Amino acid sequence: MDFLKNLGITDLNYGTSTGQNHFGAGKTFDSHTPINGKKIAAVRETTRAEYDQVMDVAQEAFPVWRMMPAPKRGEIVRQIGDELRKHKEDLGRLVSYEMGKIYQEGLGEVQEMIDICDFAVGLSRQLYGLTMHSERPLHRMYEQWHPLGVVGIISAFNFPVAVYSWNAMIAAVCGDVVVWKPSEKVPLCGVAVQNIIAKVLKANDLPEGIFAMINGGREVGEWMTNDTRVPLISATGSIRMGKQVAQVVGARLGRSLLELGGNNAIIIGKDADLEMAIRATVFGAVGTAGQRCTSTRRLIVHEDIFEQVRDRLISIYEKITIGDPLAGGTLVGPLIDADAVHAMQAALKQLEEEGGQVVFGGEPLSGSNGIGLPEGASTDLNGGHYVRPAICIAENDYEIVQEETFAPILYLIPYQDLDEAVSTQNGVKQGLSSAMFTLNLRDAEYFLSHQGSDCGIANINIGTSGAEIGGAFGGEKETGGGRESGSDSWKAYMRRQTNTINWGTDLPLAQGISFDVD
C-alpha cells in the first residue's frame, strides 16, 4: 500500500528509535489491522540493553536541547507541524488501518497533532514566570520555570498519535527530551511518526535522543516507570494501569501525569434541543466504536422525554453503517481486537443478569458473510472485529454501569429532577467528561457550578467527545487528575524555581528576624 511506503513502513521495522535511527535486536511481534485481522508488518521489541542505550542518548541530548532558546525550540516544532501537514493523508490512513477508526477520524487525529504544534510554537514565547514584591528593602523576587529532563510518554491504542503529540510537542518547547512507548497494539503509528520527526531533526543537524521511541509490552513500560532518570511519566490508559504507574513512580518520588478511564454522561433536560442532543449522543457513543476515553457511556434523560429519546436513538442506530473504516460512508469501524469484542459481550451479559435490558444491538458481526455490514461489503472484512453498537436500559448503581467498557454500549437512565440527574452523573468513580443539554440558563449554570459536575470537562449543549486542544484536557477522581494539551498544562513538564536577589549592602532577614554575628 502506497501510504505505508510513503511513511517508511516496510515489512520489518525496528521498534527502537533515537532520532534518525531505527535499530533492534529483540524478538519481533506483529501488527495486525482490525479491519480484517491481517498482518501489516513486524516490529522488534526493545531489549533492556537497547532501552538503556536510548536513555543514554536522551540524557546526552538534553543539555544541548535545553540550552537552545525556547523560541528556537518552537521553530523546530513548527517544522514538525509542517512535515505532518505533508503526510496528513498517509498518516491518517495508517491510523485508520492499524487502529480501526474511520478515515475522517484518522485525519482529525493528525490535524490535532498539527494544531498542537501550532499551539506549542506560540507557547515557546510564553513560558511566563511571575515577579513579586519582597518585604526586604533592595531585594527582588521572581519565579522561573526550568525543563525537567527526560519525559517518558506511555500512550494508548485508541489515539495512537494525537495524545503523544499533546505531551511531546509541549515538553519539547519546554526544553525536555522525550522517550515514547506507543501501545503495542499500534506500533507502526509510532514508527511512522518517528520517521516524520527524523526528517526535521536531520535537516537541523540536531542530536539524537530529543525524540526517541521504545516498543513493546508491559515489561518495557515498567523499565521506564521504575527509572529515576525519567522525572516525569505521562501515561494514558486504564485505571488499573494508572494505579500501578502512580505507585511505582511515587515510590521513587517521581511525577506522574495520568489520563485514565472515563464513564462519561450526557444529561438531557426536558427543555433541551433534542435533535442537537441526539446527534451529540450518537457521535459520542459510537464514534471510534466507543473506544474514546471521552465516549458517551451513560445517557441520563428526563422521564418526560425518555421514551421519545430512546425511540429516536434506535431509529438512528438502525441506519448506522458499520464496516471498513477506510471506505467512504462508514460511520463505525471495528473494535481493536477479539478481546474487545469478548469484553463487550461479557458486559452485556452482566447487564442483563443485573436486571438491565438491551433494547438494540450489541451482537458481533461476521465480516465473512456481511451480516449487519453495509450492503455489498467486501468479504475481505472476514477476520475483522465488528459489533453492532448497543442501546441499553440500566440503573446507575449496576456494577457493570459503574465500570468503563471500551466498546459502543450506551446506558439509558431516567431521572425526575436536576439534583437527581447531577447526582447520577457524579455517581461513578471516574471523572473525565460530562455534558448537559438544556435551554434553561439556571440549570446550565447549576451544572457548571461547584454543586454540579465533578468532572475535569463539563459542557453545555455539546457532547462529551471532541475536546479542542486549547483547553486543558483531563479528569478527576480515578481518571487520574492529570492535565494535558492547552491552557497552562505546560507547567507539568517543568520545575518551578523561586529566586530572590539582594542588590543592597545589608543582609536583612525575612519576618524581621534579628541574627547578629560579631
Side-chain angles (χ1 to χ4, degrees):
M1 295 184 179
D2 289 343
F3 69 90
L4 294 175
K5 294 178 182 178
N6 294 341
L7 295 167
I9 305 295
T10 56
D11 183 57
L12 181 67
N13 286 274
Y14 295 132
T16 304
S17 172
T18 55
Q20 294 90 331
N21 298 313
H22 290 299
F23 60 92
K27 62 184 180 182
T28 62
F29 63 98
D30 294 337
S31 169
H32 296 88
T33 173
I35 294 175
N36 54 25
K38 292 182 179 179
K39 173 184 171 180
I40 308 173
V43 177
R44 286 200 182 274
E45 187 172 281
T46 300
T47 66
R48 179 68 209 211
E50 290 166 354
Y51 170 81
D52 288 329
Q53 181 180 351
V54 167
M55 284 302 166
D56 288 343
V57 173
Q59 287 188 301
E60 290 171 4
F62 176 54
V64 177
W65 184 242
R66 72 181 176 187
M67 289 305 297
M68 183 182 291
K72 298 296 184 183
R73 297 194 294 260
E75 166 59 19
I76 301 303
V77 171
R78 185 195 66 77
Q79 293 179 33
I80 292 173
D82 285 347
E83 200 65 31
L84 286 167
R85 286 179 172 89
K86 297 176 186 177
H87 294 280
K88 178 179 175 180
E89 287 77 17
D90 288 331
L91 185 55
R93 194 169 291 274
L94 174 59
V95 168
S96 180
Y97 190 55
E98 190 176 34
M99 183 270 154
K101 63 178 61 177
I102 63 174
Y103 180 48
Q104 284 299 312
E105 291 189 76
L107 290 175
E109 185 166 347
V110 181
Q111 185 61 50
E112 198 163 347
M113 300 180 76
I114 295 167
D115 291 345
I116 204 68
C117 286
D118 289 347
F119 181 89
V121 172
L123 181 64
S124 69
R125 295 180 182 271
Q126 300 177 73
L127 302 174
Y128 298 133
L130 296 173
T131 61
M132 59 281 295
H133 292 278
S134 173
E135 67 184 63
R136 291 167 285 184
L138 307 183
H139 283 58
R140 180 165 67 91
M141 292 180 65
Y142 69 99
E143 68 179 25
Q144 58 181 326
W145 296 82
H146 300 296
L148 288 172
V150 180
V151 171
I153 301 172
I154 300 173
S155 60
F157 77 86
N158 59 328
F159 279 85
V161 295
V163 174
Y164 161 72
S165 69
W166 292 359
N167 288 273
M169 299 308 143
I170 292 181
V173 297
C174 289
D176 299 312
V177 296
V178 170
V179 177
W180 176 27
K181 192 197 88 64
S183 168
E184 62 273 24
K185 296 182 180 182
V186 285
L188 298 177
C189 288
V191 172
V193 171
Q194 282 293 107
N195 289 342
I196 290 169
I197 293 175
K199 296 178 183 179
V200 176
L201 296 178
K202 185 175 182 179
N204 288 275
D205 195 26
L206 288 168
E208 292 189 12
I210 297 172
F211 296 95
M213 185 183 72
I214 55 178
N215 242 320
R218 177 176 175 177
E219 182 182 24
V220 176
E222 287 177 345
W223 295 339
M224 193 157 60
T225 57
N226 279 286
D227 197 336
T228 57
R229 294 172 292 184
V230 186
L232 171 66
I233 297 288
S234 177
T236 303
S238 67
I239 291 172
R240 176 191 57 78
M241 180 273 284
K243 287 181 176 179
Q244 293 172 342
V245 169
Q247 290 172 6
V248 172
V249 176
R252 62 176 176 85
L253 298 182
R255 298 190 195 179
S256 298
L257 198 170
L258 301 175
E259 297 289 356
L260 310 177
N263 196 345
N264 317 293
I266 294 177
I267 298 173
I268 301 183
K270 62 180 179 180
D271 57 356
D273 182 324
L274 284 187
E275 281 307 303
M276 284 181 59
I278 294 295
R279 289 175 61 190
T281 298
V282 172
F283 175 72
V286 308
T288 323
Q291 296 172 117
R292 291 175 177 241
C293 53
T294 56
S295 288
T296 305
R297 311 217 177 270
R298 297 175 296 140
L299 191 65
I300 305 166
V301 185
H302 194 279
E303 60 182 8
D304 288 356
I305 57 172
F306 185 85
E307 292 184 0
Q308 180 183 355
V309 169
R310 178 201 61 198
D311 294 345
R312 180 76 175 107
L313 284 170
I314 291 173
S315 70
I316 293 175
Y317 271 49
E318 289 174 339
K319 302 180 183 69
I320 287 175
T321 52
I322 305 163
D324 183 349
L326 289 170
T330 300
L331 292 180
V332 177
L335 293 178
I336 187 64
D337 54 26
D339 288 343
V341 177
H342 296 153
M344 179 176 178
Q345 301 313 300
L348 295 175
K349 180 180 179 181
Q350 182 176 340
L351 171 76
E352 292 179 329
E353 291 173 350
E354 293 189 62
Q357 179 186 6
V358 179
V359 296
F360 181 84
E363 68 272 20
L365 302 176
S366 171
S368 61
N369 58 22
I371 295 175
L373 297 178
E375 184 176 352
S378 171
T379 56
D380 191 43
L381 300 181
N382 184 30
H385 309 295
Y386 299 92
V387 296
R388 195 185 303 281
I391 299 173
C392 307
I393 307 298
E395 295 183 13
N396 201 59
D397 60 359
Y398 288 170
E399 184 178 341
I400 191 59
V401 176
Q402 290 287 311
E403 300 297 325
E404 178 190 41
T405 302
F406 230 49
I409 302 175
L410 180 64
Y411 300 116
L412 274 58
I413 304 168
Y415 79 91
Q416 293 181 331
D417 58 52
L418 184 58
D419 285 340
E420 179 189 358
V422 172
S423 177
T424 300
Q425 138 67 35
N426 293 342
V428 292
K429 58 190 176 184
Q430 308 88 349
L432 179 52
S433 187
S434 60
M436 182 176 187
F437 278 81
T438 180
L439 299 180
N440 185 310
L441 177 62
R442 289 176 176 173
D443 289 354
E445 290 294 336
Y446 180 90
F447 182 72
L448 299 178
S449 74
H450 63 273
Q451 305 173 79
S453 170
D454 63 2
C455 293
I457 299 169
N459 299 326
I460 298 294
N461 294 332
I462 63 170
T464 60
S465 288
E468 297 183 32
I469 60 97
F473 181 90
E476 300 300 320
K477 300 188 292 189
E478 290 195 0
T479 299
R483 293 296 187 275
E484 296 171 332
S485 190
S487 186
D488 64 350
S489 299
W490 61 270
K491 293 179 179 179
Y493 307 94
M494 305 194 82
R495 58 182 177 88
R496 187 197 308 248
Q497 183 181 78
T498 300
N499 306 112
T500 306
I501 301 170
N502 179 357
W503 55 280
T505 57
D506 294 325
L507 190 64
L509 300 177
Q511 293 83 49
I513 294 174
S514 177
F515 192 79
D516 294 327
V517 178
D518 291 332

